[in-house]
């Protein structure tokens, strides 16, 4: 099998699995005061310190969660419920992940939030001018550090600065970015006063080789976020509940390894990506590679194949033992046209004609040659 869907989930790393299993043997609740509990607490806090170092944050700012979806939901709902009086607008760029889109939609329908959409440019970047304009009197803003479909990397520092100047709490979704492009919470947070600028940043473990069910929300030390769960007051009262020591250890180890390898691995993947893009341009001249040609994740190629249904392409590739994604959302088993592709100006029909190829540590040049040949064959069969 050739696995090229690392943006959906990536294999559990051996080193991470070993650290996780070892930590699973720890006896004791990290909130207990006896020796066993305090031993577990020590391991937990060492993991918090390690993860904080990987994302350039302070340990006290790290709140461990069950993954990216929970982190995003906690940030957006928690910030909304602590919003300044009279503010009822959430700044929501087009093309955000469904974890953000659906949370904001719920707040709109249940708690009368208003949505201020922000357009993307032709390569999927958040428009700086539109983002700044939308911040006027907003309660909360959110933005992707890197787009999970196109791989376009936004200027997180500029977005955070705009939010700080407007005094609007900002959440950055770093789920797709972590381990693939620099993530620097402290630099993006800057010295903005409490309640303004970058407040929270979400991350997910299974995107970087940790187990499913691990993640974090990095919350500025001065921030006020309303918890979604109550009982126990753990993790600054932001997320209550017995803490998963083994999950924290695994997440921290995965982040540490990803950061150690990021520069070299990014260069390797960028080389593979460039070769694939060049081959597609030569052999499939009608194909359109979406996203920013300059500022993008080195691991992602999102391609529009005019005249070929993406789901059908996926099926034919799967028959050849090659796993990719259409890049479109799948809600309750029903494939939908990609809202991200439509945000780039394409039609709903065209938004069904996309394939996302996402590479990882185990991806080789031979894998991409096999993909290239299979993709050309599938396209010729489907497009006539």
């Amino acid at each position: 099998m050739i696995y090229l869907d690392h943006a959906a989930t990536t294999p559990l790393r051996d080193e991470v699995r070993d650290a996780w299993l070892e930590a699973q043997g720890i006896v004791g609740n990290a909130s207990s005061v006896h020796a066993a509990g305090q031993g577990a607490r020590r391991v937990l806090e060492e993991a918090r310190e390690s993860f904080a170092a990987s994302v350039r944050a302070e340990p006290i700012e790290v709140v461990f969660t069950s993954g990216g979806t929970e982190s995003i939901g906690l940030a957006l709902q928690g910030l909304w419920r602590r919003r300044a009086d009279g503010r009822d607008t959430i700044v929501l760029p087009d093309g955000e992940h469904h974890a953000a889109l659906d949370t904001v939609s719920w707040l709109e329908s249940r708690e009368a939030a208003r949505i201020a959409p922000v357009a993307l440019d032709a390569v999927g970047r958040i428009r700086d001018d539109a983002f700044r304009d939308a911040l006027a009197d907003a309660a909360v803003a959110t933005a992707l550090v890197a787009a999970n479909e196109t791989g376009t990397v936004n200027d997180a520092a500029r977005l955070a600065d705009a939010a700080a100047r407007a005094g609007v709490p900002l959440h950055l979704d770093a789920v797709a970015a972590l381990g693939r492009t620099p993530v620097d919470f402290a630099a993006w947070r800057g010295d903005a006063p409490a309640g303004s600028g970058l407040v929270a940043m979400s991350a997910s473990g299974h995107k970087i080789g940790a187990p499913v069910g691990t993640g974090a929300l990095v919350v500025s030390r001065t921030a006020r976020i309303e918890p979604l769960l109550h009982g126990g007051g753990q993790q600054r009262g932001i997320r209550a509940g017995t803490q998963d020591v083994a999950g924290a250890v695994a997440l921290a180890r995965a982040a540490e390894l990803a950061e150690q390898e990021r520069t070299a691995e990014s260069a390797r993947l960028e080389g593979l990506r460039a070769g694939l893009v060049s081959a597609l341009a030569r052999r499939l001249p009608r194909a359109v590679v979406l996203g920013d040609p300059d500022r993008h994740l080195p691991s992602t190629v999102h391609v529009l194949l005019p005249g070929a249904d993406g789901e059908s392409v996926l099926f034919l590739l799967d028959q050849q033992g090659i796993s990719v994604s259409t890049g479109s959302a799948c809600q309750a088993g029903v494939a939908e046209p990609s809202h991200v592709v439509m945000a780039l100006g394409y039609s709903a029909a065209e938004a069904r004609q996309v394939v996302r190829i996402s590479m990882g540590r185990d991806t080789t040049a031979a894998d991409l040659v096999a993909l290239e040949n299979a993709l050309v064959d599938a396209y010729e069969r489907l497009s006539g």
Side-chain angles (χ1 to χ4, degrees), residues 10 17 20 38 44 125 164 175 180 201 210 221 225 304:
T10 200
R17 180 199 59 217
W20 182 41
Q38 290 307 293
L44 175 68
R125 288 184 301 243
V175 169
R180 298 174 179 86
M201 181 182 76
R221 59 190 180 276
I225 288 185
L304 171 64

Side-chain angles (χ1 to χ4, degrees), residues 333-359:
V334 179
E336 299 177 349
S338 169
H339 69 284
V340 176
V341 176
M342 290 190 289
L344 303 183
Y346 293 95
S347 68
E350 290 169 317
R352 294 181 181 273
Q353 299 170 354
V354 292
V355 171
R356 182 185 67 182
I357 301 147
S358 50
M359 300 174 283

Side-chain angles (χ1 to χ4, degrees), residues 10-17 19-20 47 50-51 54-55 178-180 204-211 214 246-262 361:
T10 200
L12 181 66
R13 294 188 60 149
D14 291 345
E15 308 95 320
V16 174
R17 180 199 59 217
W20 182 41
S50 175
F51 183 80
S54 295
V55 298
L178 184 59
R180 298 174 179 86
S204 177
H206 74 103
K207 309 291 188 178
I208 57 172
T214 62
V249 167
L251 175 66
R253 182 63 173 143
E256 177 187 31
L257 291 169
E259 183 59 19
Q260 288 175 354
E261 300 169 356
R262 179 175 51 79
R361 294 175 56 252

